Amino acid sequence: MKPWHVEICDVTLRDGEQTPGVSFTLEEKQDIARRLDAIGIEVIEAGFPIVSIHEKEIVRSISRMGLDAKICGLSRACREDVDAALDAEVDMIGLFVATSDLHIKHKYKKSREEVVANALAQCDYAVDHGLIVRFGAEDASRTELPVLIDVYRQAAEHKASYVTYADTTGRLTPLEVATIIPELVEKVPVPIAMHSHNDLGCATANTIIAAELGAYQLHTTVNGLGERAGNARLEEVLVTLALKGGIDRYDMTQIPTLSANIQQYTGILMPATKPVVGANAFAHESGIHIAAILENPETYEYIPPSLLGLDRQFILGKHTGKRALTHILTTFGYQLPDDQIVQVLEDIKEQSEGKCTITPQVLRNIIRNVTGEEINNGNSVREDTRCTGRKF
């Protein structure tokens, strides 16, 4: 399979910080940027320099970190925004202007021709000052396609290196994206950047289908941070690119730590069932599943946990089977006869149905009760006191 022709522009430090209640410190932004760079992300959108002097200084500090990734700053189609990005020493500018009738009427109160002409003038100014320009159409998904294509062509004529298709309100489904992106790829002479919001829960899917159909720069945030319901999720996009797009250049073993750090920085925790980085993403309780996995993990795992530098985990609970329990006991160094294993299993199921969390300590207590003696096998097993601590 020929690998898809794409690059990632991660916008966690800019769009992700627009998540209500989220603000990163300088040190946090530098840590996130460093980790994104270690993954191999090609473009890091470090912030919106015009927002404040402090924001501009943070973006400048990231520009000076010597990362392999290109550093991008966001900019409205305003001269002062472009100057702020230049002061921040970015490599690339995400210059955007709204293109839908709705936005032009209510935001600008000018004619489309005036709005576009001003945006193109700022594009010229940025290019003349040495910036790579990504010309973005805000609310592109509610802009008539012929109008949008005309704007994009004009941007290309003014030496924009990319044009961004922004589904600003997250209104599109994958089938709609599949009708739009091929036409843009065919008719616009510069690469397409896909910027998806997640209001319908389709942001990652929309980004992936856009990539498969020819979009080049994919915009993501770690853990799906962003305004309202967030953006396309970096971790999900990267795993899909690896398994579906034939792309193996990203170091995804960095993702779990990056995700955990951002949860700590933001206070926004991922649900256990969150793909890739959720606590249960590589956890199994079903006895039927575990028995098959012990023979061949591919039976019930499409994403190998090793891709993320992780191990699969087996959970003890009401769905646990004898083979899974025997495996876990053996892993811990316990050797019990079949009748005691069966009794331990029955006690596990009973306690689990009573919503008891089966931690290692609970398991030891069950074994102790079944065998009638204290078992000390010399293993040092950390007791997991979290409410999700049923993993072995």
Side-chain angles (χ1 to χ4, degrees), residues 130-147:
L131 291 172
I132 301 168
V133 175
R134 187 185 67 218
F135 189 96
E138 186 183 19
D139 208 26
S141 56
R142 290 190 293 189
T143 304
E144 294 182 6
L145 207 54
V147 171

Side-chain angles (χ1 to χ4, degrees), residues 77-117:
C78 305
R79 183 63 53 87
E80 59 267 29
D81 283 34
V82 178
D83 283 337
L86 287 166
D87 288 344
E89 302 177 14
V90 298
D91 305 300
M92 176 185 294
I93 190 170
L95 182 77
F96 72 93
V97 62
T99 54
S100 68
D101 291 340
L102 181 67
H103 276 236
I104 288 175
K105 176 181 178 181
H106 292 285
K107 286 174 60 174
Y108 301 131
K109 304 185 188 322
K110 297 178 182 178
S111 69
R112 179 185 302 279
E113 290 73 20
E114 289 178 281
V115 170
V116 172

Side-chain angles (χ1 to χ4, degrees), residues 67-255:
L67 303 178
D68 291 331
K70 292 183 176 67
I71 305 303
C72 179
L74 192 69
S75 168
R76 296 168 300 177
C78 305
R79 183 63 53 87
E80 59 267 29
D81 283 34
V82 178
D83 283 337
L86 287 166
D87 288 344
E89 302 177 14
V90 298
D91 305 300
M92 176 185 294
I93 190 170
L95 182 77
F96 72 93
V97 62
T99 54
S100 68
D101 291 340
L102 181 67
H103 276 236
I104 288 175
K105 176 181 178 181
H106 292 285
K107 286 174 60 174
Y108 301 131
K109 304 185 188 322
K110 297 178 182 178
S111 69
R112 179 185 302 279
E113 290 73 20
E114 289 178 281
V115 170
V116 172
N118 172 68
L120 294 173
Q122 307 317 315
C123 179
D124 290 338
Y125 180 76
V127 170
D128 289 345
H129 285 76
L131 291 172
I132 301 168
V133 175
R134 187 185 67 218
F135 189 96
E138 186 183 19
D139 208 26
S141 56
R142 290 190 293 189
T143 304
E144 294 182 6
L145 207 54
V147 171
L148 190 63
I149 290 170
D150 179 62
V151 172
Y152 284 160
R153 285 175 169 171
Q154 291 184 65
E157 290 171 359
H158 286 255
K159 299 182 180 179
S161 297
Y162 310 76
V163 294
T164 301
Y165 185 88
D167 183 18
T168 301
T169 58
R171 64 182 294 272
L172 295 179
T173 65
L175 284 178
E176 290 174 306
V177 172
T179 65
I180 295 165
I181 294 300
E183 188 166 355
L184 294 180
V185 170
E186 177 187 356
K187 296 180 179 179
V188 176
V190 294
I192 307 297
M194 186 69 190
H195 185 93
S196 300
H197 282 264
N198 201 43
D199 298 72
L200 289 178
C202 295
T204 296
N206 287 345
T207 300
I208 291 300
I209 193 67
E212 189 170 8
L213 295 174
Y216 176 61
Q217 189 179 88
L218 312 179
H219 293 189
T220 63
T221 60
V222 181
N223 296 345
L225 291 178
E227 300 176 69
R228 304 183 310 278
N231 293 56
R233 284 122 168 87
L234 172 68
E235 58 280 359
E236 295 175 16
V237 169
L238 289 185
V239 167
T240 306
L241 291 179
L243 298 178
K244 298 292 188 181
I247 295 174
D248 61 3
R249 66 179 179 268
Y250 299 110
D251 181 4
M252 285 178 280
T253 64
Q254 306 283 335
I255 288 175

